[in-house]
Amino acid sequence: NMWEWTEYVVDSFLILANETTKSAIQEVWALITQIANSLTLLFLRLFYKQGYTAYQEYRKRIKEASPEDDPASPRPLPPASRRASLLHRWTATNKRSTLEPDSPRKSRKKTTFAELLDEDDELETIAEEPGSPLDPLPSRTNATKHQKKNNRTPPSPLNPPPPPPPLFRNKRNRNKLPPAVDLVHHHEQVTTGLFEDVLTGTMLLVDSLAGKARDITHWIFASLQFSKLSAFLAWFPAAVSRVVMDPSRVWWFIKRQCARAMLAVRSARASADRTRQTFISSKQLDVRTVSVIIAQAGYPYEEYTVETDDGYVLKLERIPNRKSKDVLYFQHGIFDNSFAWVANGSTGSLALRAWDQGYDVFLGNFRGNGERKHTNMNIGDKYWDFSINEHAFKDMPSFVQKIYEIKLKEGIVSPVPSTSSPVHPEDPLATLLERVNTADMRLSVISHSMGAAATLMYIVGRRMNDLPHGLAQAILLSPAGYHATAPAICGILGPVINLFLWIYPFHVFRFPNEGTRVFAAKVMHSLINNPATKDLIIYVMSRFLLGGKLDPDHPVAKVPNLAYNTFSGTSTGVYKHFWQLYKSSRFQGFDYGRVKNLLVYGTPMPPNYMANYDKIDIPIHFLMGLNDNLIAPQNIMKHHSTLKKHHPDLAFLKASSAGHVEFTLGLDDQMLDYVISILQNAMDKVPEGAKPTPVNNVQ
């Protein structure tokens, strides 16, 4: 009737508007992407010709590849139903027959929709299965009988089928309209990058608005039908008279509508939460923890909690090799965590390679990482009141003490009977080392950047106070601490950050919440997935920030979701300590000011640890990167030359072409083999069962 035809026309218009809007959005998105790519290519052509050439070669390979082999070639939208699939095949068949001018005219006969249905044996088999989503369409035999019974010709372009019932399915017609009737394709989320998620979210929003519009349209037409309109006209005067006779019904009606409004608000909030969780969530990101990465690589894993003497609860992770007398302790740098030591899997990760060599591996996490626990539940922002001093003199002693306690419990380290009182009762680590035979095992440390600076401060600081440190040797990867030479960006950003901290004091550098962290990871994912922007990111990181070779395998682009798994956060006190090291050109402790320095250090100025390198009593291996922009080779050579002046037999230096983060996330095979050879040589120097004189106990 007229109502059904009118409803069908309006509904078809809404479907057309929906698909047209989505097509327009995709075209605008493609235009914006093309403009961004053009600007990126212009930058690469001017400043990074190698990346520009690589991108052009990539485009050439894509053009030469066939559409079937091209993973980036556009594909048709997946059909929403069996009927849509058949219509798509029918259109494609007739289009091919029209576009073949060399074939005879008789051979270019168009295929009717019924003929295509008759040839579709595979879909018929699927449709006949109970519960199949294709079941609403009749089988071939039933369709033929139906056509003969009604004496109608098969549908074709010249004889279109009658209009279907309203396409929108709701409570009134859900039993009458099968899902296959609605030919609208709803967009699906299949990507992980932020930009792709924005496009997908926009498409889903358009689909949702179109669905609501169709729902309203159907409700309007259903309400305007004559039978319902007559019933309404008959009900309205009686309803008005009841309200006049009983005014309390007005209040009942208002409360009912308010309740409906509250339900609508709750539904909208729930929908907004679902949208946020869908597009700003880590479900489609590689957010595996260190424990999962280690377990998936086939290695054992253990986790311990370590409590410092100032109440911080830290996490110490372990790749156990219980029977080993050679123990290796890894310590990360600033804005980093233990993820850096296992991110490249079993072949490229230093921690896993060391375990393969027989080492018992421990991974330390400085305060500020992980769950940020403290024994004082009400510590608040004071939690972030620390500098590199606390990393060196609070965190590292606690880690070393915990490692010795574990090996003592496992029977690798034997206790030493003693009747005398401890020499240093105020220091738990010194007390423990006095009561065990440290020659039963060799504890080596590998640390990077700020972790290496904290290691040097730990060794020198304890020897300055005549305390044992419990280490046998140290391998320092691009150690921080001495910064007479620094990138130009430090001199530019430093005063800006200091001014900002003075105007708006805060305590920590980190992502404010999990959503922001996921947002940054998704942005990075989108940029890395595009070849042009990937080359741009590598160029900026290599030239201005982290250094390293201009290589497509740069860790920034190679390590999955580096932006999510790093930048764990650190205190502003650590930044202030680095700024003091840069301005003073001295490797010193944190400068609290004259008054507090006297209380903490006993001197008006903080101690200069490089001036006390004569107290170092274990081998130190310095590894520097010739392409390291953050810590220049000259600074590391200063560490080495100072130690070599006092102890030529304890100072070792090795140069590499690596950048700053490549020492942990992208160490090449040559440097990996060098580090493993250092560890192996140390193991070979200790015969099985031998117990040499400890090099770290104070006599």
Side-chain angles (χ1 to χ4, degrees), residues 605-633:
M605 294 293 293
N608 185 349
Y609 296 107
M610 189 173 287
N612 291 274
Y613 274 8
D614 60 309
K615 295 179 173 58
I616 294 178
D617 55 357
I618 60 173
I620 305 292
H621 298 265
F622 299 95
L623 276 69
M624 66 181 183
L626 300 179
N627 292 312
D628 192 340
N629 286 350
L630 285 184
I631 302 179

PDB file of all heavy atoms in Angstrom, residues 605-633:
ATOM      1  N   MET A 605      79.638  21.161  49.426  1.00  0.00           N
ATOM      2  CA  MET A 605      79.405  20.767  48.042  1.00  0.00           C
ATOM      3  C   MET A 605      79.187  19.262  47.957  1.00  0.00           C
ATOM      4  O   MET A 605      79.754  18.497  48.752  1.00  0.00           O
ATOM      5  CB  MET A 605      80.594  21.168  47.170  1.00  0.00           C
ATOM      6  CG  MET A 605      80.803  22.666  47.035  1.00  0.00           C
ATOM      7  SD  MET A 605      79.451  23.451  46.121  1.00  0.00           S
ATOM      8  CE  MET A 605      79.724  22.733  44.492  1.00  0.00           C
ATOM      9  N   PRO A 606      78.382  18.800  46.982  1.00  0.00           N
ATOM     10  CA  PRO A 606      78.197  17.352  46.833  1.00  0.00           C
ATOM     11  C   PRO A 606      79.493  16.688  46.395  1.00  0.00           C
ATOM     12  O   PRO A 606      80.341  17.323  45.747  1.00  0.00           O
ATOM     13  CB  PRO A 606      77.103  17.249  45.756  1.00  0.00           C
ATOM     14  CG  PRO A 606      77.150  18.536  45.021  1.00  0.00           C
ATOM     15  CD  PRO A 606      77.573  19.577  46.012  1.00  0.00           C
ATOM     16  N   PRO A 607      79.700  15.421  46.724  1.00  0.00           N
ATOM     17  CA  PRO A 607      80.960  14.747  46.375  1.00  0.00           C
ATOM     18  C   PRO A 607      81.102  14.561  44.879  1.00  0.00           C
ATOM     19  O   PRO A 607      80.122  14.356  44.157  1.00  0.00           O
ATOM     20  CB  PRO A 607      80.842  13.402  47.097  1.00  0.00           C
ATOM     21  CG  PRO A 607      79.381  13.182  47.273  1.00  0.00           C
ATOM     22  CD  PRO A 607      78.779  14.536  47.458  1.00  0.00           C
ATOM     23  N   ASN A 608      82.349  14.630  44.413  1.00  0.00           N
ATOM     24  CA  ASN A 608      82.689  14.386  43.014  1.00  0.00           C
ATOM     25  C   ASN A 608      83.138  12.927  42.905  1.00  0.00           C
ATOM     26  O   ASN A 608      84.220  12.563  43.344  1.00  0.00           O
ATOM     27  CB  ASN A 608      83.808  15.335  42.562  1.00  0.00           C
ATOM     28  CG  ASN A 608      84.108  15.204  41.086  1.00  0.00           C
ATOM     29  OD1 ASN A 608      83.649  14.278  40.421  1.00  0.00           O
ATOM     30  ND2 ASN A 608      84.888  16.134  40.558  1.00  0.00           N
ATOM     31  N   TYR A 609      82.301  12.088  42.331  1.00  0.00           N
ATOM     32  CA  TYR A 609      82.594  10.656  42.302  1.00  0.00           C
ATOM     33  C   TYR A 609      83.716  10.325  41.325  1.00  0.00           C
ATOM     34  O   TYR A 609      84.461   9.368  41.551  1.00  0.00           O
ATOM     35  CB  TYR A 609      81.324   9.880  41.946  1.00  0.00           C
ATOM     36  CG  TYR A 609      80.247  10.043  42.991  1.00  0.00           C
ATOM     37  CD1 TYR A 609      79.119  10.818  42.740  1.00  0.00           C
ATOM     38  CD2 TYR A 609      80.369   9.446  44.236  1.00  0.00           C
ATOM     39  CE1 TYR A 609      78.143  10.987  43.697  1.00  0.00           C
ATOM     40  CE2 TYR A 609      79.392   9.610  45.207  1.00  0.00           C
ATOM     41  CZ  TYR A 609      78.279  10.385  44.929  1.00  0.00           C
ATOM     42  OH  TYR A 609      77.323  10.562  45.896  1.00  0.00           O
ATOM     43  N   MET A 610      83.853  11.082  40.261  1.00  0.00           N
ATOM     44  CA  MET A 610      84.935  10.812  39.318  1.00  0.00           C
ATOM     45  C   MET A 610      86.291  11.067  39.969  1.00  0.00           C
ATOM     46  O   MET A 610      87.283  10.405  39.629  1.00  0.00           O
ATOM     47  CB  MET A 610      84.765  11.660  38.054  1.00  0.00           C
ATOM     48  CG  MET A 610      85.718  11.303  36.932  1.00  0.00           C
ATOM     49  SD  MET A 610      85.374  12.186  35.387  1.00  0.00           S
ATOM     50  CE  MET A 610      83.883  11.348  34.870  1.00  0.00           C
ATOM     51  N   ALA A 611      86.331  11.996  40.907  1.00  0.00           N
ATOM     52  CA  ALA A 611      87.592  12.258  41.605  1.00  0.00           C
ATOM     53  C   ALA A 611      87.955  11.147  42.580  1.00  0.00           C
ATOM     54  O   ALA A 611      89.075  11.132  43.108  1.00  0.00           O
ATOM     55  CB  ALA A 611      87.511  13.591  42.344  1.00  0.00           C
ATOM     56  N   ASN A 612      87.050  10.206  42.806  1.00  0.00           N
ATOM     57  CA  ASN A 612      87.300   9.092  43.725  1.00  0.00           C
ATOM     58  C   ASN A 612      87.333   7.748  42.996  1.00  0.00           C
ATOM     59  O   ASN A 612      87.078   6.705  43.612  1.00  0.00           O
ATOM     60  CB  ASN A 612      86.225   9.064  44.814  1.00  0.00           C
ATOM     61  CG  ASN A 612      86.331  10.231  45.766  1.00  0.00           C
ATOM     62  OD1 ASN A 612      87.076  10.194  46.744  1.00  0.00           O
ATOM     63  ND2 ASN A 612      85.586  11.296  45.494  1.00  0.00           N
ATOM     64  N   TYR A 613      87.603   7.789  41.680  1.00  0.00           N
ATOM     65  CA  TYR A 613      87.686   6.531  40.933  1.00  0.00           C
ATOM     66  C   TYR A 613      88.853   5.654  41.405  1.00  0.00           C
ATOM     67  O   TYR A 613      88.911   4.476  41.054  1.00  0.00           O
ATOM     68  CB  TYR A 613      87.832   6.818  39.443  1.00  0.00           C
ATOM     69  CG  TYR A 613      86.503   7.028  38.722  1.00  0.00           C
ATOM     70  CD1 TYR A 613      85.321   7.127  39.428  1.00  0.00           C
ATOM     71  CD2 TYR A 613      86.444   7.132  37.339  1.00  0.00           C
ATOM     72  CE1 TYR A 613      84.113   7.327  38.785  1.00  0.00           C
ATOM     73  CE2 TYR A 613      85.252   7.322  36.674  1.00  0.00           C
ATOM     74  CZ  TYR A 613      84.088   7.427  37.395  1.00  0.00           C
ATOM     75  OH  TYR A 613      82.884   7.614  36.754  1.00  0.00           O
ATOM     76  N   ASP A 614      89.768   6.221  42.175  1.00  0.00           N
ATOM     77  CA  ASP A 614      90.867   5.400  42.692  1.00  0.00           C
ATOM     78  C   ASP A 614      90.379   4.343  43.672  1.00  0.00           C
ATOM     79  O   ASP A 614      91.085   3.363  43.945  1.00  0.00           O
ATOM     80  CB  ASP A 614      91.905   6.297  43.371  1.00  0.00           C
ATOM     81  CG  ASP A 614      91.304   7.077  44.536  1.00  0.00           C
ATOM     82  OD1 ASP A 614      90.250   7.725  44.334  1.00  0.00           O
ATOM     83  OD2 ASP A 614      91.873   7.021  45.641  1.00  0.00           O
ATOM     84  N   LYS A 615      89.153   4.507  44.182  1.00  0.00           N
ATOM     85  CA  LYS A 615      88.612   3.545  45.138  1.00  0.00           C
ATOM     86  C   LYS A 615      87.907   2.369  44.460  1.00  0.00           C
ATOM     87  O   LYS A 615      87.467   1.438  45.143  1.00  0.00           O
ATOM     88  CB  LYS A 615      87.658   4.251  46.098  1.00  0.00           C
ATOM     89  CG  LYS A 615      88.348   5.279  46.996  1.00  0.00           C
ATOM     90  CD  LYS A 615      87.372   5.957  47.913  1.00  0.00           C
ATOM     91  CE  LYS A 615      88.101   6.842  48.919  1.00  0.00           C
ATOM     92  NZ  LYS A 615      88.946   7.870  48.287  1.00  0.00           N
ATOM     93  N   ILE A 616      87.746   2.421  43.145  1.00  0.00           N
ATOM     94  CA  ILE A 616      87.116   1.304  42.425  1.00  0.00           C
ATOM     95  C   ILE A 616      88.045   0.094  42.468  1.00  0.00           C
ATOM     96  O   ILE A 616      89.245   0.207  42.204  1.00  0.00           O
ATOM     97  CB  ILE A 616      86.802   1.711  40.970  1.00  0.00           C
ATOM     98  CG1 ILE A 616      85.727   2.805  40.949  1.00  0.00           C
ATOM     99  CG2 ILE A 616      86.352   0.511  40.151  1.00  0.00           C
ATOM    100  CD1 ILE A 616      85.370   3.307  39.568  1.00  0.00           C
ATOM    101  N   ASP A 617      87.475  -1.085  42.780  1.00  0.00           N
ATOM    102  CA  ASP A 617      88.298  -2.275  42.957  1.00  0.00           C
ATOM    103  C   ASP A 617      87.848  -3.460  42.107  1.00  0.00           C
ATOM    104  O   ASP A 617      88.247  -4.592  42.363  1.00  0.00           O
ATOM    105  CB  ASP A 617      88.306  -2.686  44.437  1.00  0.00           C
ATOM    106  CG  ASP A 617      86.901  -2.887  44.979  1.00  0.00           C
ATOM    107  OD1 ASP A 617      85.935  -2.649  44.221  1.00  0.00           O
ATOM    108  OD2 ASP A 617      86.765  -3.277  46.157  1.00  0.00           O
ATOM    109  N   ILE A 618      86.999  -3.229  41.101  1.00  0.00           N
ATOM    110  CA  ILE A 618      86.553  -4.308  40.221  1.00  0.00           C
ATOM    111  C   ILE A 618      86.705  -3.856  38.773  1.00  0.00           C
ATOM    112  O   ILE A 618      86.754  -2.651  38.489  1.00  0.00           O
ATOM    113  CB  ILE A 618      85.083  -4.684  40.494  1.00  0.00           C
ATOM    114  CG1 ILE A 618      84.171  -3.476  40.257  1.00  0.00           C
ATOM    115  CG2 ILE A 618      84.906  -5.245  41.895  1.00  0.00           C
ATOM    116  CD1 ILE A 618      82.694  -3.801  40.339  1.00  0.00           C
ATOM    117  N   PRO A 619      86.773  -4.776  37.815  1.00  0.00           N
ATOM    118  CA  PRO A 619      86.879  -4.391  36.406  1.00  0.00           C
ATOM    119  C   PRO A 619      85.625  -3.655  35.941  1.00  0.00           C
ATOM    120  O   PRO A 619      84.500  -4.055  36.237  1.00  0.00           O
ATOM    121  CB  PRO A 619      87.042  -5.723  35.680  1.00  0.00           C
ATOM    122  CG  PRO A 619      87.517  -6.678  36.714  1.00  0.00           C
ATOM    123  CD  PRO A 619      86.901  -6.235  38.005  1.00  0.00           C
ATOM    124  N   ILE A 620      85.837  -2.577  35.211  1.00  0.00           N
ATOM    125  CA  ILE A 620      84.743  -1.785  34.645  1.00  0.00           C
ATOM    126  C   ILE A 620      84.924  -1.766  33.130  1.00  0.00           C
ATOM    127  O   ILE A 620      85.961  -1.321  32.620  1.00  0.00           O
ATOM    128  CB  ILE A 620      84.729  -0.347  35.186  1.00  0.00           C
ATOM    129  CG1 ILE A 620      84.687  -0.343  36.724  1.00  0.00           C
ATOM    130  CG2 ILE A 620      83.546   0.414  34.620  1.00  0.00           C
ATOM    131  CD1 ILE A 620      83.409  -0.864  37.308  1.00  0.00           C
ATOM    132  N   HIS A 621      83.910  -2.214  32.400  1.00  0.00           N
ATOM    133  CA  HIS A 621      83.925  -2.213  30.935  1.00  0.00           C
ATOM    134  C   HIS A 621      82.988  -1.108  30.456  1.00  0.00           C
ATOM    135  O   HIS A 621      81.781  -1.157  30.704  1.00  0.00           O
ATOM    136  CB  HIS A 621      83.479  -3.566  30.391  1.00  0.00           C
ATOM    137  CG  HIS A 621      84.370  -4.705  30.798  1.00  0.00           C
ATOM    138  ND1 HIS A 621      85.392  -5.168  29.999  1.00  0.00           N
ATOM    139  CD2 HIS A 621      84.394  -5.461  31.924  1.00  0.00           C
ATOM    140  CE1 HIS A 621      86.000  -6.174  30.603  1.00  0.00           C
ATOM    141  NE2 HIS A 621      85.425  -6.364  31.775  1.00  0.00           N
ATOM    142  N   PHE A 622      83.558  -0.122  29.763  1.00  0.00           N
ATOM    143  CA  PHE A 622      82.772   0.987  29.223  1.00  0.00           C
ATOM    144  C   PHE A 622      82.494   0.718  27.745  1.00  0.00           C
ATOM    145  O   PHE A 622      83.426   0.496  26.965  1.00  0.00           O
ATOM    146  CB  PHE A 622      83.519   2.314  29.368  1.00  0.00           C
ATOM    147  CG  PHE A 622      83.819   2.712  30.784  1.00  0.00           C
ATOM    148  CD1 PHE A 622      85.044   2.409  31.362  1.00  0.00           C
ATOM    149  CD2 PHE A 622      82.874   3.373  31.550  1.00  0.00           C
ATOM    150  CE1 PHE A 622      85.334   2.777  32.660  1.00  0.00           C
ATOM    151  CE2 PHE A 622      83.150   3.742  32.852  1.00  0.00           C
ATOM    152  CZ  PHE A 622      84.375   3.441  33.414  1.00  0.00           C
ATOM    153  N   LEU A 623      81.223   0.773  27.333  1.00  0.00           N
ATOM    154  CA  LEU A 623      80.827   0.627  25.935  1.00  0.00           C
ATOM    155  C   LEU A 623      80.194   1.936  25.485  1.00  0.00           C
ATOM    156  O   LEU A 623      79.222   2.408  26.097  1.00  0.00           O
ATOM    157  CB  LEU A 623      79.837  -0.518  25.749  1.00  0.00           C
ATOM    158  CG  LEU A 623      80.433  -1.917  25.595  1.00  0.00           C
ATOM    159  CD1 LEU A 623      81.060  -2.392  26.904  1.00  0.00           C
ATOM    160  CD2 LEU A 623      79.366  -2.914  25.145  1.00  0.00           C
ATOM    161  N   MET A 624      80.751   2.535  24.436  1.00  0.00           N
ATOM    162  CA  MET A 624      80.252   3.823  23.953  1.00  0.00           C
ATOM    163  C   MET A 624      79.778   3.692  22.512  1.00  0.00           C
ATOM    164  O   MET A 624      80.251   2.840  21.749  1.00  0.00           O
ATOM    165  CB  MET A 624      81.340   4.892  24.053  1.00  0.00           C
ATOM    166  CG  MET A 624      82.529   4.671  23.162  1.00  0.00           C
ATOM    167  SD  MET A 624      83.776   5.982  23.365  1.00  0.00           S
ATOM    168  CE  MET A 624      84.990   5.502  22.134  1.00  0.00           C
ATOM    169  N   GLY A 625      78.816   4.535  22.143  1.00  0.00           N
ATOM    170  CA  GLY A 625      78.278   4.554  20.795  1.00  0.00           C
ATOM    171  C   GLY A 625      78.770   5.764  20.026  1.00  0.00           C
ATOM    172  O   GLY A 625      78.594   6.910  20.472  1.00  0.00           O
ATOM    173  N   LEU A 626      79.359   5.520  18.875  1.00  0.00           N
ATOM    174  CA  LEU A 626      79.870   6.625  18.058  1.00  0.00           C
ATOM    175  C   LEU A 626      78.734   7.450  17.463  1.00  0.00           C
ATOM    176  O   LEU A 626      78.956   8.588  17.052  1.00  0.00           O
ATOM    177  CB  LEU A 626      80.765   6.076  16.952  1.00  0.00           C
ATOM    178  CG  LEU A 626      82.000   5.290  17.422  1.00  0.00           C
ATOM    179  CD1 LEU A 626      82.789   4.765  16.218  1.00  0.00           C
ATOM    180  CD2 LEU A 626      82.884   6.158  18.300  1.00  0.00           C
ATOM    181  N   ASN A 627      77.539   6.888  17.395  1.00  0.00           N
ATOM    182  CA  ASN A 627      76.377   7.614  16.880  1.00  0.00           C
ATOM    183  C   ASN A 627      75.380   7.959  17.989  1.00  0.00           C
ATOM    184  O   ASN A 627      74.201   8.168  17.725  1.00  0.00           O
ATOM    185  CB  ASN A 627      75.669   6.776  15.805  1.00  0.00           C
ATOM    186  CG  ASN A 627      76.498   6.626  14.554  1.00  0.00           C
ATOM    187  OD1 ASN A 627      77.040   7.597  14.031  1.00  0.00           O
ATOM    188  ND2 ASN A 627      76.615   5.397  14.057  1.00  0.00           N
ATOM    189  N   ASP A 628      75.872   8.012  19.208  1.00  0.00           N
ATOM    190  CA  ASP A 628      75.022   8.331  20.354  1.00  0.00           C
ATOM    191  C   ASP A 628      74.912   9.845  20.489  1.00  0.00           C
ATOM    192  O   ASP A 628      75.901  10.532  20.763  1.00  0.00           O
ATOM    193  CB  ASP A 628      75.612   7.721  21.626  1.00  0.00           C
ATOM    194  CG  ASP A 628      74.639   7.764  22.798  1.00  0.00           C
ATOM    195  OD1 ASP A 628      73.691   8.567  22.745  1.00  0.00           O
ATOM    196  OD2 ASP A 628      74.839   6.993  23.741  1.00  0.00           O
ATOM    197  N   ASN A 629      73.695  10.378  20.305  1.00  0.00           N
ATOM    198  CA  ASN A 629      73.497  11.823  20.403  1.00  0.00           C
ATOM    199  C   ASN A 629      73.283  12.296  21.835  1.00  0.00           C
ATOM    200  O   ASN A 629      73.539  13.457  22.148  1.00  0.00           O
ATOM    201  CB  ASN A 629      72.293  12.249  19.558  1.00  0.00           C
ATOM    202  CG  ASN A 629      72.591  12.224  18.072  1.00  0.00           C
ATOM    203  OD1 ASN A 629      73.742  12.069  17.667  1.00  0.00           O
ATOM    204  ND2 ASN A 629      71.564  12.352  17.253  1.00  0.00           N
ATOM    205  N   LEU A 630      72.802  11.425  22.706  1.00  0.00           N
ATOM    206  CA  LEU A 630      72.516  11.840  24.078  1.00  0.00           C
ATOM    207  C   LEU A 630      73.785  11.890  24.926  1.00  0.00           C
ATOM    208  O   LEU A 630      74.007  12.853  25.658  1.00  0.00           O
ATOM    209  CB  LEU A 630      71.494  10.893  24.715  1.00  0.00           C
ATOM    210  CG  LEU A 630      70.040  11.061  24.259  1.00  0.00           C
ATOM    211  CD1 LEU A 630      69.138  10.121  25.034  1.00  0.00           C
ATOM    212  CD2 LEU A 630      69.570  12.499  24.434  1.00  0.00           C
ATOM    213  N   ILE A 631      74.592  10.847  24.863  1.00  0.00           N
ATOM    214  CA  ILE A 631      75.829  10.795  25.643  1.00  0.00           C
ATOM    215  C   ILE A 631      76.982  10.636  24.655  1.00  0.00           C
ATOM    216  O   ILE A 631      77.206   9.549  24.107  1.00  0.00           O
ATOM    217  CB  ILE A 631      75.802   9.635  26.652  1.00  0.00           C
ATOM    218  CG1 ILE A 631      74.593   9.806  27.594  1.00  0.00           C
ATOM    219  CG2 ILE A 631      77.094   9.595  27.456  1.00  0.00           C
ATOM    220  CD1 ILE A 631      74.453   8.701  28.610  1.00  0.00           C
ATOM    221  N   ALA A 632      77.685  11.731  24.426  1.00  0.00           N
ATOM    222  CA  ALA A 632      78.736  11.750  23.414  1.00  0.00           C
ATOM    223  C   ALA A 632      79.893  10.836  23.820  1.00  0.00           C
ATOM    224  O   ALA A 632      80.151  10.624  25.019  1.00  0.00           O
ATOM    225  CB  ALA A 632      79.244  13.179  23.219  1.00  0.00           C
ATOM    226  N   PRO A 633      80.598  10.282  22.849  1.00  0.00           N
ATOM    227  CA  PRO A 633      81.741   9.410  23.172  1.00  0.00           C
ATOM    228  C   PRO A 633      82.795  10.093  24.045  1.00  0.00           C
ATOM    229  O   PRO A 633      83.449   9.430  24.852  1.00  0.00           O
ATOM    230  CB  PRO A 633      82.295   9.045  21.793  1.00  0.00           C
ATOM    231  CG  PRO A 633      81.135   9.198  20.859  1.00  0.00           C
ATOM    232  CD  PRO A 633      80.329  10.326  21.400  1.00  0.00           C
TER     233      PRO A 633
END
